[in-house]
Amino acid sequence: MNATIDAVRRQVSDLHQELVRYNLVVWTAGNVSARVPGEELLVIKPSGVSYDELSPQNMIVCDLDGNVVEGDHAPSSDTAAHAYVYRHLPDVGGVVHTHSTYACAWAARGEAVPCVLTAMADEFGAEIPVGPFALIGDDSIGRGIVDTLKGHRSPAVLMQNHGVFTIGKDAKAAVKAAVMCEDVTRTVHLSRQLGEPLPIAQADIDSLNFRYQNVYGQPQAR
């Protein structure tokens, strides 16, 4: 099991640098977590540690109640939310939280992002929904994430007045959803400065999402 945990620690540490690369976080905000395959464990970053200082060694291993199992630092303040998601959505292998600028602007308005781009239909298959306002520190945010995304195609939710949470089959997929969420929310915002974005018919959204999820790319990658 140690080899598996070590591999997840490396992956989670590396993926935090993708948040920096795509300008999704500032200072020490944001986090990536991953479920440890075959175990009731998750790996998440330590709280309040600079991205420059993150390494596989200082990633924190927690159980699915958010209790620290391995690590010398306190885990992310969002650990309880991540743990709640893993407990209640067993197919989720990765969770990401960011405060990316344009997506947070939509979250501050409590407004869902309409599916008006083919790239949104591809990745999200629907609007990007808004979850309820919730305070940090317990599993309230996790409950909002699960209640909003359960049965919804979107892997992203804008938690009202807070920011973005994304889920995926693994941590890399959750990071990709966070990157795409910021990209499309920026574009839709700019479109609305010019006028009202044109809707895409639901049948076309369904067709685009199916193609992207099942046909696009190389077979081994899917």
Side-chain angles (χ1 to χ4, degrees):
M1 185 176 74
N2 287 340
T4 301
I5 290 177
D6 287 347
V8 176
R9 275 179 153 153
R10 285 193 300 274
Q11 180 195 41
V12 171
S13 177
D14 290 346
L15 285 171
H16 278 94
Q17 300 312 314
E18 295 298 291
L19 303 188
V20 176
R21 176 186 176 194
Y22 287 100
N23 297 312
L24 304 185
V25 293
V26 296
W27 205 242
T28 62
N31 39 68
V32 178
S33 74
R35 188 192 295 268
V36 178
E39 303 293 336
E40 296 292 294
L41 299 171
L42 65 92
V43 174
I44 197 166
K45 88 174 184 50
S47 177
V49 175
S50 166
Y51 279 80
D52 292 338
E53 298 174 8
L54 295 182
S55 69
Q57 291 70 37
N58 62 22
M59 295 296 107
I60 311 301
V61 182
C62 297
D63 65 22
L64 295 192
D65 290 314
N67 301 308
V68 174
V69 174
E70 293 181 16
D72 298 326
H73 296 78
S76 166
S77 59
D78 291 305
T79 298
H82 289 240
Y84 187 95
V85 172
Y86 291 123
R87 291 199 308 272
H88 291 85
L89 298 177
D91 293 335
V92 169
V95 179
V96 171
H97 172 46
T98 76
H99 294 164
S100 58
T101 303
Y102 282 86
C104 279
W106 288 79
R109 294 196 301 265
E111 183 178 358
V113 185
C115 187
V116 294
L117 297 166
T118 58
M120 285 190 70
D122 289 346
E123 180 69 21
F124 302 100
E127 69 176 16
I128 299 173
V130 174
F133 176 77
L135 294 176
I136 302 168
D138 60 16
D139 62 11
S140 299
I141 292 173
R143 290 198 302 271
I145 296 166
V146 171
D147 290 347
T148 305
L149 292 185
K150 186 174 282 188
H152 200 291
R153 268 187 191 156
S154 174
V157 55
L158 308 179
M159 294 300 287
Q160 183 181 313
N161 302 109
H162 187 172
V164 181
F165 282 84
T166 60
I167 59 175
K169 62 183 176 58
D170 53 33
K172 184 177 181 181
V175 170
K176 179 193 175 190
V179 172
M180 295 298 293
C181 179
E182 178 64 4
D183 183 63
V184 298
T185 54
R186 179 176 61 243
T187 304
V188 177
H189 169 77
L190 293 173
S191 174
R192 294 211 314 188
Q193 308 315 297
L194 302 172
E196 189 64 26
L198 299 175
I200 299 175
Q202 186 61 53
D204 292 331
I205 292 173
D206 294 343
S207 177
L208 287 161
N209 185 256
F210 179 85
R211 179 201 64 86
Y212 187 75
Q213 301 297 333
N214 298 283
V215 178
Y216 175 82
Q218 301 303 309
Q220 63 270 24
R222 297 196 299 274

